[in-house]
Structure formats: structure tokens, C-alpha cells
């Protein structure tokens, strides 16, 4: 009971803090460098709500990156994330953004500071992912109508990211309890839109979504390191087909 009351209080406080809605874009200064429109911000969030699964790729070599990402797109993914830990990440990101603009939404992960965010947006990233909760990056993005998805480990970090201006909150790394943990936290803190990434598999992605996750991220279970090493791109495409079938069964997410 106390947790529900605290949750309701936090909702009211957040609404007041942001002029009646938790993540208002009314204060965005359109003259800022790299600022996006309200419509673009909404498009990115609606795409996450409709598709609900993001392919998160990191490869040890530059050559493997476009082949692995192409395989997962061929398997049905419509939201993809290139990570800065991949060699030539931004070059590959720019190429896929140009090739699939309007069909596949392309973002950039392992963003560690605003300089990284600027470089990613300049390369064509449509959203920004950070591995940890970085208030300066969240606020830089929020001021420009750029969707950020910061990495968080605890309910406190998830709420802090939300209140800093992140409309989606990445649960990373995985937590004990998996889908049950997400259900408990999303029920107690319904203003959150949680995006579990670590711990999500081809088989349990739908379970996470059914238990309150707004969307999920797929890393190694999708991009099997052995398949990448063996250049077995067909296996990655099959992995993508399997997980997307499970995700589609759950249906779209109702945005908050």
C-alpha cells in the first residue's frame, strides 16, 4: 500500500515538474544544434511502441558488422542499434540509415558523453542509448527532442532517468527474477517504460513484454558470437525470425 501511495505521489510530482506530462517537449529550444521536431520525437517513440524489439550489435571486426546487421534485418528487425564498441561503427550506421531510411529505424549505443551523442546524431542516429545513467547525455538529448534510452540497474536509477528526461529506460545488466522483476517494478512505478536488454533471449522476449516491459533489446542471443565467427548469417536471420514472431504475438505497447 505504501509503495502504491509513493508511486502516485511521484506521478503527481513528475507531472507538475514537466508542466502536466512527465516528458514535455514544450521547453525544447529549436535553435539548438541538432534539435529535432516534436513530430520526429513522437515518431521514434511510436516506432518503439509498435515494433517493441531492438537488435543490439557489437562485433569484434568492422567487416562482420554490416553482414550481421543485414542478416537480422532480413529476419524481420525494424529497429537496430550500432554500438560504438564496434570498429567503424558510425560509418556502418550512416550507411544503413541511408539505405533503410523510413523502413528501419537506426540508433547508436555505448554513448558515454555528449560528444559521442553529437557524433552519432551527425552520422544519422535516430535515438541514443547509453550503458549507464548519464544525466548530462539525457538532458542534452531532451533539450533537442532526441529520444535517449539510458542504462539503469535499480528502480531508483530508472526513476532518476525518467525524471531527467528519458522517455524509455534501459534495464541493464539483467536482474534476478527477469520478467517477474519487470512486472513488479512496472506495476509499482507505472510512469516508467522499461526496456530490458541483458537477459532477454529468443524464447523469453515475449514474456518480458507480457509482464510490463515497453520493449526489449536483443544482443548475444540474436547475434550469436559463434555464428558471427563462422560467418553463418543465415543462423542470425533465423534467430531474428524466431524472436520477432514471439514479439509480434504480444502486440503493440500502449504509450504512457
Amino acid at each position: 500500500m505504501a509503495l502504491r501511495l509513493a508511486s502516485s505521489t511521484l506521478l503527481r510530482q513528475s507531472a507538475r515538474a514537466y508542466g502536466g506530462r512527465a516528458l514535455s517537449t514544450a521547453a525544447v529550444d529549436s535553435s539548438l544544434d541538432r534539435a529535432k521536431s516534436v513530430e520526429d520525437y513522437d515518431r521514434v517513440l511510436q516506432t518503439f511502441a509498435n515494433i517493441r524489439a531492438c537488435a543490439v550489435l557489437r562485433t569484434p571486426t568492422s567487416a562482420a558488422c554490416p553482414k550481421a546487421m543485414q542478416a537480422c534485418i532480413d529476419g524481420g528487425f525494424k529497429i537496430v542499434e550500432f554500438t560504438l564498441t564496434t570498429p567503424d561503427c558510425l560509418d556502418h550506421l550512416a550507411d544503413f540509415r541511408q539505405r533503410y531510411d523510413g523502413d528501419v529505424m537506426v540508433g547508436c549505443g555505448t554513448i558515454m558523453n555528449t560528444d559521442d551523442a553529437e557524433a552519432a546524431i551527425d552520422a544519422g542516429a535516430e535515438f541514443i542509448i547509453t550503458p549507464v545513467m548519464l544525466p548530462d547525455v539525457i538532458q542534452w538529448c531532451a533539450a533537442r527532442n532526441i529520444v535517449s534510452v539510458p542504462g539503469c540497474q535499480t528502480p531508483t536509477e530508472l526513476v532518476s532517468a525518467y525524471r531527467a528526461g528519458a522517455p524509455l529506460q534501459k534495464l541493464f545488466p539483467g536482474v534476478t527474477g527477469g520478467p517477474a522483476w519487470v512486472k513488479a517494478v512496472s506495476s509499482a512505478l507505472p510512469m516508467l517504460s522499461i526496456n530490458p536488454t541483458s537477459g532477454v533471449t529468443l524464447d523469453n522476449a515475449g514474456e518480458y513484454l507480457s509482464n510490463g516491459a515497453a520493449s526489449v533489446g536483443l544482443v548475444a542471443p540474436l547475434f550469436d558470437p559463434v555464428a558471427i565467427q563462422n560467418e553463418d548469417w543465415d543462423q542470425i536471420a533465423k534467430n531474428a525470425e524466431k524472436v520477432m514472431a514471439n514479439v509480434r504475438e504480444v502486440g503493440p505497447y500502449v504509450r504512457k
Side-chain angles (χ1 to χ4, degrees):
M1 181 62 158
L3 187 52
R4 286 198 297 271
L5 289 173
S7 173
S8 297
T9 301
L10 181 56
L11 276 169
R12 291 193 296 271
Q13 290 173 343
S14 296
R16 287 196 297 269
Y18 291 100
R21 55 178 293 200
L23 294 168
S24 172
T25 56
V28 171
D29 183 353
S30 60
S31 68
L32 289 175
D33 61 301
R34 302 172 180 86
K36 306 296 181 181
S37 66
V38 173
E39 292 76 16
D40 188 72
Y41 182 87
D42 184 74
R43 173 189 64 82
V44 173
L45 289 178
Q46 193 57 48
T47 300
F48 269 105
N50 290 341
I51 305 301
R52 303 193 72 180
C54 177
V56 182
L57 177 64
R58 60 176 58 91
T59 59
T61 67
S62 176
C65 177
K67 297 173 183 177
M69 191 64 90
Q70 185 62 57
C72 94
I73 291 174
D74 291 343
F77 268 83
K78 293 292 185 179
I79 304 177
V80 301
E81 173 192 339
F82 291 86
T83 58
L84 287 180
T85 47
T86 297
D88 302 319
C89 164
L90 295 181
D91 291 336
H92 296 306
L93 186 155
D95 179 56
F96 273 75
R97 174 66 196 277
Q98 182 177 23
R99 191 186 315 176
Y100 287 103
D101 190 28
D103 183 34
V104 175
M105 190 164 73
V106 179
C108 190
T110 321
I111 300 294
M112 293 302 298
N113 50 55
T114 57
D115 288 341
D116 286 347
E118 289 179 357
I121 294 299
D122 289 347
E126 297 173 85
F127 57 91
I128 293 297
I129 309 281
T130 65
V132 293
M133 214 280 282
L134 301 171
D136 58 330
V137 176
I138 297 171
Q139 292 161 8
W140 183 91
C141 289
R144 292 163 173 78
N145 274 334
I146 296 168
V147 170
S148 67
V149 190
C152 306
Q153 174 70 69
T154 66
T156 298
E157 287 189 344
L158 290 165
V159 171
S160 296
Y162 164 81
R163 297 192 74 176
L168 297 172
Q169 305 85 38
K170 170 183 172 181
L171 180 59
F172 176 83
V175 294
T176 301
W181 189 96
V182 172
K183 181 177 182 179
V185 173
S186 61
S187 296
L189 301 168
M191 76 291 290
L192 299 178
S193 294
I194 304 173
N195 175 277
T197 299
S198 176
V200 181
T201 69
L202 307 181
D203 296 310
N204 70 13
E207 186 180 0
Y208 271 98
L209 299 175
S210 298
N211 279 278
S215 56
V216 293
L218 276 297
V219 194
L222 172 62
F223 295 108
D224 181 358
V226 175
I228 290 177
Q229 183 177 3
N230 295 335
E231 299 188 356
D232 188 353
W233 314 123
D234 288 341
Q235 183 60 55
I236 292 175
K238 290 176 182 176
N239 292 346
E241 290 172 1
K242 179 176 181 178
V243 70
M244 287 309 301
N246 290 334
V247 168
R248 282 192 292 268
E249 286 184 4
V250 183
Y253 176 67
V254 178
R255 287 169 55 189
K256 301 171 182 178

